Amino acid sequence: MSGDSKLSSAEVVLGFLEEAEPWRLLSPQFPSKVGGKPAWLSQTGLPSPAGLECEKCRLPMAFLLQVYAPISGQDRSFHRTLFLFCCKTHECYTCNDSRCLKVLRSQLPRRNEFYPYDPPPDDEPPSDCEPDQSVLSVSGVKLCWVCGCPGNKACSRCHTVTYCGKHHQTLHWKHSHKRECCNQEASIVTTSTFLFPESELVTEPEEEVDKKEGDTKEAEEEEEEEASVDCPSLAETLAETDLEEMAMHETEDNKVFQRFKKRIAPEPHQVVRYSREGCPLWVSSQHIPSDQDIPACTCGAKRTFEFQVMPQLLNSLCVDSTGASIDWGTLAVYTCSASCNHDDQYCPEFIWKQDFSSDQHTQIKST
């Protein structure tokens, strides 16, 4: 997840949020980050506005995060970033439905038309690196003032700002542009309220925890006892076979959830888990994808797991409101195992949303 990290297969790297100087989060620094506007990798072939619409409500999605994940020994993926977008309409977050999310992959060889051959310095900003969230174009492609995605719909009065569509033009007009438009004396607002708060994603390897077989067995037995307690009211109304099936389901679901909580307990603030060709850490025994659920890449190669977004990230997005919040248990991203070159500079990959049960959701929010 960083320019000098060479990850072995199935090694787990954890991502954490950290404040950073704005210049560190711009495209020439190859950042991993959450929120703000996308730091596009390839400066051409950006996704169309239609390609970044929610599949459910058809409104523009918001940029959620990007992970810089080059592949060692593969020149075409010397620079490689995965971009994740999400809908901000809470009604679209129905249980285990991933249509409100999209993930795109962009990659470049070391020698390319956009960036120097040698990596940028870590300690100081380049002289031409201007951290301006209001940037309106990339390599001649006009960008939406609100979300930073491609958009060529200009304000009909001032013609100085553009949008990805009518929805974001209306948001900006109501927020500040009505006052600013054609008014040279007005103070200019440079950051959109549509964006999530911006932070850098910094990484560190997950430490292996030694497990004692006896302790593990004892803990599992306790979990089984807790999960298999029958509710008296249910016992009076359900058949014995139904009760047994319910107990088995609750026991297995509780096992998976307790395993999830135990695994993240040493680093409770992790927001991303990266493990290319590894396995996700599921929050539930329900709605786990089979191999058939994960479509192959258009090149024919199998898609494999690469990283997941943790529920802890929701606490930092300023989206919580009673009964009206975007939500997930975990988001698992699967990418082309060959990391192929694609006709599109921003190649769609696959994402799987798994949600908590209501009881699990209460427990994880309290941790």
Side-chain angles (χ1 to χ4, degrees):
M1 286 172 59
S2 66
D4 39 275
S5 62
K6 306 300 181 184
L7 302 178
S8 62
S9 179
E11 177 186 0
V12 178
V13 174
L14 306 180
F16 302 89
L17 298 181
E18 188 173 282
E19 291 186 11
E21 296 180 65
W23 66 268
R24 285 188 170 276
L25 305 180
L26 301 179
S27 297
Q29 304 302 307
F30 310 111
S32 292
K33 74 186 192 85
V34 168
K37 294 179 179 179
W40 300 109
L41 181 61
S42 174
Q43 304 293 289
T44 59
L46 271 61
S48 67
L52 293 175
E53 288 180 352
C54 173
E55 295 294 332
K56 298 190 72 176
C57 68
R58 292 298 171 184
L59 290 177
M61 289 184 163
F63 168 72
L64 179 59
L65 60 81
Q66 64 189 76
V67 173
Y68 182 66
I71 298 177
S72 179
Q74 190 181 83
D75 183 63
R76 67 173 178 266
S77 305
F78 186 86
H79 297 299
R80 180 173 176 272
T81 300
L82 301 168
F83 296 83
L84 180 53
F85 297 83
C86 71
C87 184
K88 295 191 76 174
T89 305
H90 74 92
E91 290 90 350
C92 292
Y93 286 77
T94 51
C95 187
N96 297 322
D97 189 339
S98 304
R99 291 177 295 164
C100 54
L101 301 149
K102 288 186 179 180
V103 60
L104 303 174
R105 169 172 55 88
S106 178
Q107 59 190 41
L108 295 168
R110 183 170 187 177
R111 196 173 299 280
N112 62 80
E113 60 183 301
F114 308 118
Y115 306 105
Y117 185 81
D118 294 321
D122 289 332
D123 53 349
E124 60 182 23
S127 57
D128 61 347
C129 196
E130 291 294 331
D132 184 3
Q133 281 285 354
S134 63
V135 63
L136 298 179
S137 68
V138 169
S139 296
V141 178
K142 294 179 180 179
L143 301 179
C144 176
W145 183 93
V146 174
C147 64
C149 297
N152 57 11
K153 182 177 178 61
C155 173
S156 59
R157 292 182 62 190
C158 66
H159 302 284
T160 59
V161 290
T162 57
Y163 307 96
C164 61
K166 184 69 175 178
H167 182 68
H168 280 179
Q169 183 176 11
T170 302
L171 285 179
H172 188 203
W173 182 260
K174 291 180 178 179
H175 175 241
S176 60
H177 195 56
K178 182 178 181 179
R179 174 177 51 83
E180 300 165 351
C181 188
C182 300
N183 184 357
Q184 296 181 352
E185 297 181 358
S187 58
I188 304 299
V189 177
T190 59
T191 303
S192 166
T193 55
F194 179 77
L195 303 175
F196 293 118
E198 189 173 41
S199 298
E200 185 175 13
L201 263 178
V202 297
T203 61
E204 62 181 53
E206 182 182 44
E207 294 184 6
E208 293 187 10
V209 180
D210 294 331
K211 298 178 181 179
K212 295 181 180 180
E213 186 175 347
D215 292 345
T216 302
K217 185 177 180 180
E218 182 179 345
E220 289 182 352
E221 288 175 352
E222 289 178 0
E223 290 168 9
E224 289 179 6
E225 290 176 2
E226 291 174 2
S228 61
V229 174
D230 292 331
C231 176
S233 59
L234 288 176
E236 294 172 0
T237 57
L238 296 178
E240 184 176 349
T241 53
D242 291 336
L243 282 172
E244 289 175 355
E245 289 177 3
M246 182 179 293
M248 289 176 64
H249 162 70
E250 289 179 350
T251 299
E252 182 59 30
D253 211 37
N254 193 54
K255 277 185 181 180
V256 172
F257 185 54
Q258 294 303 324
R259 192 180 304 127
F260 172 85
K261 292 208 302 180
K262 184 175 182 179
R263 185 72 177 267
I264 69 173
E267 297 290 353
H269 299 296
Q270 59 185 276
V271 296
V272 165
R273 295 176 64 86
Y274 185 96
S275 181
R276 188 166 186 262
E277 299 183 356
C279 296
L281 180 62
W282 299 113
V283 302
S284 170
S285 63
Q286 302 299 303
H287 198 62
I288 293 177
S290 65
D291 289 343
Q292 291 71 33
D293 289 323
I294 302 166
C297 179
T298 53
C299 75
K302 180 181 179 181
R303 280 194 174 99
T304 55
F305 173 73
E306 184 151 354
F307 75 93
Q308 70 186 101
V309 181
M310 305 297 280
Q312 292 89 323
L313 179 61
L314 291 162
N315 296 327
S316 304
L317 297 181
C318 302
V319 294
D320 277 338
S321 59
T322 304
S325 175
I326 67 175
D327 202 8
W328 59 74
T330 192
L331 307 176
V333 172
Y334 294 80
T335 59
C336 175
S337 57
S339 200
C340 66
N341 278 337
H342 198 270
D343 291 340
D344 297 326
Q345 289 290 339
Y346 287 84
C347 173
E349 294 289 10
F350 183 73
I351 187 165
W352 185 271
K353 180 166 77 79
Q354 186 192 51
D355 288 309
F356 290 116
S357 68
S358 56
D359 291 341
Q360 291 172 344
H361 191 276
T362 301
Q363 291 185 54
I364 200 68
K365 283 290 186 180
S366 63
T367 57

